Amino acid sequence: MLVGRAPPGAPSCRRLLAAALAAGLRPLLCGLPPCWATARRAAGQWPSPGLRVPEAAEAERLVQQVQRTGVPLRRFIACPHLARTVQRCLQDGASPGPQPVLLECAPGPGILTRTLLNAGVRVVALESNSAFLPNLQSLENSLDGQLKVIYGDFFRLDPLVTGTVKPPALCSDKLFETMGVAAVPWRADVPVKIFGFLPQKKERNMLWRLLFALYECSSIYRYGRVELNIFMSEKEYKVLTAKPGEAKAYQALTVLWQVGCEIQLLHMEPWSSFVTNLKNGGLAIPKSMWLPNDHLCLVRLTPQQNLFTGSLEPTNSATFIFMVKQCLAKPKSKIADRLNSWSLDNGGKLLSELEIPKNAATRNLYPEDYRRLFEALQNSSMFTETWFHDEVLGSIRNINL
């Protein structure tokens, strides 16, 4: 048949194509079985939509267009190469089978969002700046359920307020309901992965808030062992991974995060690789006197499956946090003196049973030693918790908050 007009009454190619798509035969057009896309989605692996990822200059212009005075400092991924690096880090080590949804906090111009979508990841984008929402929502509407956009701020989850919670603050139960994520047992697989940047001016504050939620199994941790993949300053990463005896770095925060989570460094990137929302385009690198701080570190925090075995439970975890905090308030003091200050007559005997030297400084004990000490105190008849609990309840919520 010669190439030319179709005979009168013959259906056009355009109508035939539309009918084929309407019949759900899109995969057949690519030579694939009809169940292919459905099967991949059921396994948490979506076919790549082949989205265009803007270059860094275009992403920077998008950030500049929404700059406003009075908004908190934020950092964004603008470079496609860096976005691919982060995407590979987030997917590295994934176990076979269905993959959990990834909650991307503050995606901004959406460079990483598009990169993740192209890699077949199902993404929930949680954005607190309404100026970025139209672009993200347009992207959401162009896809078939692979992306969900929500207006909200992850670092304002579950505010301690009475009455209605006003966006961008939101409650974790509403967020997880919208994401379609149900609670699972603590020892089950990770139910959801979260990616974001710790707010620069509230880094320490947020690390403590997340720590309390972890040990209490509250907020996001009511749904199981939620995995955090967070960019934080190098100095805070050094604190979280410090070893006993390291001056300045080894702190209560160190012990508690190491007991509670597996800490893995995924990537280090210079501050200059990120775009800020500052009008002058500055980097606003925080100063550090004692610890190196030349990079932002992408750190994975995966809660330990065995965190709540033994005597440590969510109901007494506040006591454990307070005990560690009190011990390391004076890191050069002897652990035996600290026990004596708690009216323990046989503190030395307890330390001997745990094979902890009586003259050991509190900063020289390993995180596992603090857990063993707490569990021994919990099981000891010579330790009365009444006064200890009163002090905990009176001060625990004010620690570094």
Side-chain angles (χ1 to χ4, degrees), residues 79-294:
C79 173
H81 176 72
L82 176 57
R84 288 192 295 271
T85 298
V86 172
Q87 168 254 312
R88 287 192 294 267
C89 288
L90 294 177
Q91 292 189 292
D92 182 46
S95 58
Q99 297 301 307
V101 64
L102 190 140
L103 176 63
E104 183 187 6
C105 305
I111 305 304
L112 178 61
T113 312
R114 290 170 175 266
T115 304
L116 291 167
L117 294 170
N118 283 340
V121 180
R122 179 172 169 247
V123 179
V124 174
L126 186 64
E127 179 54 60
S128 61
N129 189 333
S130 57
F132 285 120
L133 290 176
N135 181 46
L136 292 169
Q137 290 167 340
S138 175
L139 183 60
E140 176 187 17
N141 294 334
S142 70
L143 301 171
D144 187 20
Q146 189 182 358
L147 173 65
K148 177 71 177 177
V149 178
I150 302 174
Y151 177 50
D153 187 345
F154 176 77
F155 296 105
R156 293 179 63 185
L157 270 182
D158 302 317
L160 298 176
V161 296
T162 56
T164 305
V165 176
K166 297 181 179 180
L170 71 166
C171 297
S172 55
D173 57 345
K174 296 296 182 184
L175 173 62
F176 278 70
E177 180 183 349
T178 304
M179 290 194 297
V181 176
V184 298
W186 185 260
R187 296 184 68 86
D189 290 336
V190 170
V192 62
K193 296 184 177 184
I194 297 177
F195 168 81
F197 289 77
L198 280 180
Q200 180 169 306
K201 293 185 178 180
K202 297 182 178 179
E203 268 195 305
R204 182 59 61 92
N205 178 299
M206 291 311 308
L207 285 171
W208 275 106
R209 284 192 61 186
L210 290 167
L211 189 70
F212 284 126
L214 169 66
Y215 277 90
E216 295 172 352
C217 284
S218 62
S219 189
I220 61 174
Y221 295 106
R222 287 193 293 116
Y223 294 84
R225 296 185 306 114
V226 172
E227 177 188 288
L228 296 178
N229 298 270
I230 301 291
F231 267 114
M232 64 179 67
S233 65
E234 187 176 356
K235 65 176 182 178
E236 291 296 350
Y237 167 70
K238 292 294 185 183
V239 169
L240 294 195
T241 56
K243 291 180 170 51
E246 291 185 3
K248 306 297 182 181
Y250 195 70
Q251 305 171 17
L253 201 64
T254 311
V255 170
L256 293 167
W257 272 111
Q258 289 186 22
V259 169
C261 284
E262 177 185 348
I263 304 173
Q264 181 182 1
L265 177 64
L266 301 180
H267 184 67
M268 296 178 70
E269 190 72 23
W271 293 85
S272 56
S273 299
F274 302 90
V275 175
T276 71
N277 60 346
L278 296 176
K279 284 193 171 183
N280 61 4
L283 297 178
I285 302 174
K287 296 179 180 180
S288 176
M289 294 181 62
W290 306 106
L291 298 170
N293 200 35
D294 299 323

Side-chain angles (χ1 to χ4, degrees), residues 50-71:
L51 300 170
R52 185 184 74 87
V53 179
E55 293 299 323
E58 184 178 347
E60 290 180 23
R61 285 195 297 270
L62 288 173
V63 173
Q64 292 169 358
Q65 290 171 3
V66 301
Q67 286 174 340
R68 294 181 300 177
T69 57
V71 297

